[in-house]
Amino acid sequence: MANQQLGKKLWYERIPNTYVILFALIVFAAILTWVVPAGEFDRVVDETGRKLIQPGTYHAVEQSPASLFDIFLAIPKGLQGSANIIFMILLSSGAFKVINSTGALENSIGVMLRGINRSRVPSSAVIVLITFLFSALGLVVGPEIQIPFTLIGVSIALGLGYDLIVGLAMIVVGGGIGFATGPICASTVGTCDAICGLPLFSGMGLRTANWFACTLVSSLVIAAYARKVKKDPSRSYVRDISTEGLGFSKSLEDYQIGRTDKLVLLVLLGLFVCLIVGPTMLGWYLDEMMAVFVIAAIITAFIARYSTTKALDIFCKGAGEMFGAAMMVGMGRGIQVILENGHVMDTIVNALSSPIVNFGPYAAAILMTLIHGAVNFLIPSGSGQAAATMPLMFPVGQMVGLTDQTSILAFQTGDGITNIIYPTMGAMMAMCGIARVPFGRWFKFAIKVVLSVYIVCWAFLLLAVKINWGPF
């Protein structure tokens, strides 16, 4: 407070706009193409069509430095490469705008919070429950599918007397930790199992225990911050950010759930079911989910008796509000475009993986998580990083005495947990934009979650080394 009284900004208040950060990272990536030696690994195409690195085949190639024009070209290229995620954001946001316009969500949340206030259930228990709910959802779907639910988390947090960060954290941290540590994530665990030939989703017991412990610890970190903010609102990192239009429009005592609300909530429940059943049992992903969101919007408009013009106006307004978030996704992908076109991505991966062979199994397992965490900044895609690094990490792990299951656990830890603090993770940046939380302030909070969860994962990782976790 003293610094603010003197007119000085705190460190997180001096961090530039998110777009400036992402553009600066694109420029930095372009500089790397001039100073980092270009190189590549040989790759083979497996039966699923993925291109996998062949260990020991790294070799120098002709330098391909990025030009000034390439820096700006990376933005549209990044948008093209992220088209599915971008359209997912736009269509899902439009659908949720239609659903939210009926008042069903606000009415149901208001009734729920009124019941909580009248009962003896501590509001911190609600934080833990919602964090676990979205962590469970994150077991089967990626963070980008959880973007539209950000407003739900924010509304609940504000209704409980907390701030924007608490609402954002329940969704970002919950979904992110579920995706990062879950035992049945197809794009991470499934890809790794396929690369090394392990039975699909094997080792579920230890992974499930790790997921539960990580989700519990992260929810307790959120709850601790929430209690601090509720006790003293001046300690909130976002105390100066307007919440107009994000909270509740009337007193909790005035909320009721009518027939139309119940029908709209059934549509929302069906949407949740599709998000879980589709990817796990029917092989659905982004394209199918986008179709489901459009169907949900149409059904909701019919239930609410909206005219075609009104429904489309609401839908387009919701999609338009997320244009900025969609741009963030494309710019984040632009960093990867620069590094790949400059042929320095493999050089960086090779340099990061080489030191592991000089350590024993315990230290090597921990070091693997840090290396994957560093690579994740450049390759935020779980399946993409698995395809790029695991063909190298599996033999490296075997050389130092790690089972393949342990190497996968190290990959999960490094690849996923940092998703909640890296600006190259488009989904996280989009959710920050929706919740009106500047990235610098989010980082100040989220880094505490990351460090706490890393400690839990390291404990499980060391246990895996100790018991020679297998069977492979």
Side-chain angles (χ1 to χ4, degrees), residues 259-306:
R259 179 177 178 276
T260 298
D261 295 331
K262 293 177 182 178
L263 292 175
V264 173
L265 291 174
L266 281 177
V267 174
L268 187 61
L269 176 61
L271 188 58
F272 265 107
V273 171
C274 288
L275 288 175
I276 296 174
V277 174
T280 56
M281 301 181 64
L282 303 177
W284 289 5
Y285 199 50
L286 292 181
D287 289 346
E288 293 79 5
M289 291 297 98
M290 283 188 272
V292 169
F293 276 113
V294 172
I295 292 171
I298 294 173
I299 295 174
T300 300
F302 178 78
I303 293 171
R305 298 182 179 180
Y306 289 160

Side-chain angles (χ1 to χ4, degrees), residues 352-372 393 396-397 399-402 406-407 410 454 457-459 461-466:
L352 290 174
S353 62
S354 297
I356 295 179
V357 296
N358 299 318
F359 294 86
Y362 290 98
I366 300 298
L367 186 58
M368 272 189 178
T369 67
L370 300 178
I371 289 173
H372 283 299
M393 290 301 189
V396 169
M399 289 173 60
V400 296
L402 300 180
T406 304
S407 294
Y454 255 110
C457 287
W458 284 342
L461 197 57
L462 295 176
L463 173 63
V465 177
K466 176 69 175 179

